[in-house]
Structures are given as C-alpha cells and as structure tokens.
Amino acid sequence: MAVDLFASVTECGCAAKVPAQELAGLLRGVELPTSPAVLVGPDTLDDAGVLQLSAEQCLVQTVDFFPPVARDPEDYGRIAAANSLSDIYAMGGQPLSALAVVCFPSQLVREGVLGAVTRGAAEKLREAGCVLLGGHSVLDPQAKFGLAVTGLVHPARMFTNSHARPGDVLLLTKPLGTGATIMAIRAGLASAEQERVANGTMATLNATAAALARQCGVSAATDVTGFGLLGHALQLARASEVALELGFAGVPVLEGALGFAELGLLSAAAYSNRAYVGDAVRFADDLPRAAQDLLFDPQTSGGLLICCPAERAAELVAWARTELTTPFGVVGRVVAATGGPAITVRSRACTVSAEGVAGP
C-alpha cells in the first residue's frame, strides 16, 4: 500500500509515551479503588495488572497503543499487536482476548489503511492464540493503534518486576536500538535491510521467551519498551529492592544502531529516559556516550529482561540459542542493594557457566 505512515507523526511507537519521570508522579495524591484480590497494581510500575480470581487462576490485564512505528500499515499492525501482547507475556501469562483501541484520521480510514493495520494485528493475535472481541474507535488527526489484552496466569507461576533476587542472571531476549533505527529510517539513513530487520524484531512475539523463562523457574521479568533498558531495569531494581550490574558488551544491539546513536539520531524520549534514571546509574569511564545512549533508547515491542536463578542460567542460555529467533544476550546480574547507584554499567560482558555467572 503506497502510504508512508511516518509522514504524519512527530514521535513513533513507544517513544510517544508520557515520560517516566512525569508518569511516576501522576498518581500521587489520587486515592485509587482497590481490592484484596489485586496482586499487582500500579504501585510497582509493572507491565500489567493482576487480579486473583481463585487459588489457581489470576486475570492479567493491560492496554497499549501508540502512533505508527513503521511505514507499512500491516507492519504497524503486527508490531502494535506484538507490543500489546508482550505485557501479558512479561507477567508469565497466556493472552486470551483483546479489544482494539483505534484513533485514526478519517481519510486513512476511507483509503483502507486502518483495514490493513487491523489485518497485520489479526495475524499476530492468531499466532498468539488470542481472540479479538471488538474495540473502540475515534477520529483523530494523528493515527494511533493498539490493544487492550486480557490473559490468565497461575499465581505460583506469575512473573513480576518485584521478585528479582541477588544472584539472578539478567538475560535480554531482543536487541536494543529500535528507537535509533526508526529515527534513521525517517532520516533516510537506514538501509532497506536494517528497516526490514528492525520491523521483524519488533513484530516477534515474546511468547517463546516467556515459555523458556517458565521452564527455568523464573519469577521476575519485565519487558523493555518506551523507557529504555535502563528505565525498565531501574523500575525492576526499585520494586525488588536490589541493585543491578550490567555489562554492555553482552547487550544485543541491532546492526547499525550504535552508529545511528553516534550520529545523534535519538528521540526526545531517549533524553527524558536519561533524566528519569539520573544518578541511579553509574557508567564506567570507558563506556562511550553512544553506548550509554542506546541503553536509554526507547524500545518498541522490545524483549523480555529475565531474572534467572544462577543455577538455571546456563540451561536458559542453551535453550535460548535453540529456540529464540531474535538475538539475545546475558546483560548482567542482580546484586544486593548497598545504598549506592541502583545500576552500574561496565563495558565488559558477563559470562555464564555451569557454575553460575562471572563479571561484568
């Protein structure tokens, strides 16, 4: 379809999120309705809410939508659906049903662009075994699309961002750099292959990553989206009352993304993410500025950041090599909080052996 969806937007994908620093104070002073059945609410800034229905079943709910993140409407729909479903997988859940959230210009509705976006989303929902029950649409000068997704999880097999423990190994299941690559695509500086790979990465479901985490007895995870790796890692560290050590050399990165960051192809969200993390992160002196910037780069439909028990880490890595279709990496480890920076980033990578993790 001869439509370039980038032409009508200022920020793309998850880079359009309300900055984390502003979002953190949004609910202060607001008395929210609650219930003893709420196992995960807004207080820990987790990926989805969890409501216990019975001793063996919990409801997992999320909603996520954003402006176009790809030129092609069907690619946009695939990525938007994968991103929305990711919040359910990040909680260890299985998605069941979805409702579409649509804000679209009337001209693009008439031209069939919204229909193409919906076809792309439906493809990913079928892959996930999730049914589309309906949705709601309004006319809007700037296109936005996404899903409200409902899933189920057993309370004993739920992932949260508040159960990381010292000794856990951190594994990231998709490469960073989607934000910088999207900026490069819009500037005409990315190749067709870089665009294809970025779109394919964003459209990949986190279902397999979540299944591997469950097999290894993982109880803590989060997905990496608009607040960047360091923003979401900080939320995990604070919710779990731990600290994290990261090694940049182990972080998977999209081909060309580091060069794009060196050129300054960064969205406004990358800078607001840096401001949000602030002094909570300490970088090694030998880590280049562009590498730091990629750790703040807003990701759209990013990977899972999995906190794996050290004794199962080698097993998880071996399975990931066989099962994952996206580049992944051991990016760090969880350590006890000491009152210093919540996150330390060094240049060298962590290594995993049968005995556990070494470094960074």
Side-chain angles (χ1 to χ4, degrees):
M1 186 171 294
V3 175
D4 184 351
L5 286 175
F6 283 154
S8 63
V9 299
T10 53
E11 296 289 352
C12 298
C14 287
K17 291 176 73 169
V18 173
Q21 206 162 14
E22 297 177 26
L23 195 61
L26 190 65
L27 297 179
R28 290 195 190 110
V30 179
E31 187 175 351
L32 299 174
T34 188
S35 162
V38 174
L39 299 187
V40 179
D43 50 312
T44 56
L45 305 177
D46 216 326
D47 299 296
V50 180
L51 186 76
Q52 188 159 16
L53 301 178
S54 69
E56 295 187 348
Q57 198 170 75
C58 295
L59 199 67
V60 188
Q61 290 188 294
T62 184
V63 59
D64 211 319
F65 65 103
F66 47 58
V69 71
R71 299 177 194 273
D72 179 76
E74 289 197 19
D75 282 339
Y76 174 31
R78 293 182 191 100
I79 295 166
N83 181 76
S84 299
L85 291 162
S86 182
D87 285 340
I88 303 297
Y89 295 129
M91 306 303 293
Q94 174 61 44
L96 293 181
S97 65
L99 298 170
V101 180
V102 179
C103 305
F104 243 74
S106 57
Q107 180 180 348
L108 295 186
V109 175
R110 290 193 301 270
E111 292 176 352
V113 175
L114 177 57
V117 172
T118 306
R119 283 195 299 275
E123 177 186 318
K124 286 293 153 180
L125 288 171
R126 285 192 298 272
E127 183 181 338
C130 182
V131 297
L132 184 65
L133 296 180
H136 185 70
S137 60
V138 298
L139 295 178
D140 193 304
Q142 180 168 282
K144 305 171 192 71
F145 182 86
L147 300 169
V149 187
T150 297
L152 292 175
V153 68
H154 191 287
R157 292 191 285 275
M158 178 175 64
F159 306 157
T160 74
N161 69 358
S162 60
H163 281 80
R165 297 293 177 260
D168 285 352
V169 176
L170 298 169
L171 185 135
L172 181 63
T173 65
K174 285 188 186 182
L176 297 185
T178 60
T181 301
I182 291 165
M183 293 291 288
I185 294 167
R186 296 186 72 183
L189 297 176
S191 69
E193 177 64 9
Q194 287 169 327
E195 182 174 2
R196 185 192 67 79
V197 170
N199 286 344
T201 297
M202 290 186 286
T204 300
L205 297 182
N206 279 324
T208 300
L212 295 179
R214 279 193 296 272
Q215 290 177 33
C216 289
V218 167
S219 60
T222 189
D223 67 344
V224 177
T225 55
F227 302 145
L229 176 59
L230 288 183
H232 290 284
L234 178 61
Q235 291 175 344
L236 182 145
R238 286 175 171 167
S240 299
E241 299 181 344
V242 296
L244 308 179
E245 293 181 350
L246 304 182
F248 183 79
V251 176
V253 175
L254 285 172
E255 188 272 323
L258 190 59
F260 298 146
E262 289 170 347
L263 292 172
L265 293 170
L266 304 168
S267 68
Y271 296 100
S272 64
N273 288 343
R274 183 182 280 271
Y276 170 60
V277 174
D279 294 337
V281 63
R282 179 175 59 206
F283 293 106
D285 292 339
D286 62 346
L287 192 67
R289 176 72 182 211
Q292 297 179 31
D293 287 338
L294 276 187
L295 298 176
F296 294 110
D297 188 46
Q299 302 304 287
T300 298
S301 191
L304 297 187
L305 181 64
I306 295 171
C307 303
C308 181
E311 65 274 13
R312 304 292 299 276
E315 187 179 8
L316 177 60
V317 169
W319 281 343
R321 287 194 185 106
T322 302
E323 301 295 333
L324 292 183
T325 60
T326 52
F328 69 93
V330 175
V331 300
R333 61 183 175 182
V334 180
V335 296
T338 61
I343 304 173
T344 301
V345 185
R346 299 185 175 90
S347 57
R348 63 186 183 274
C350 284
T351 57
V352 170
S353 68
E355 290 73 38
V357 63

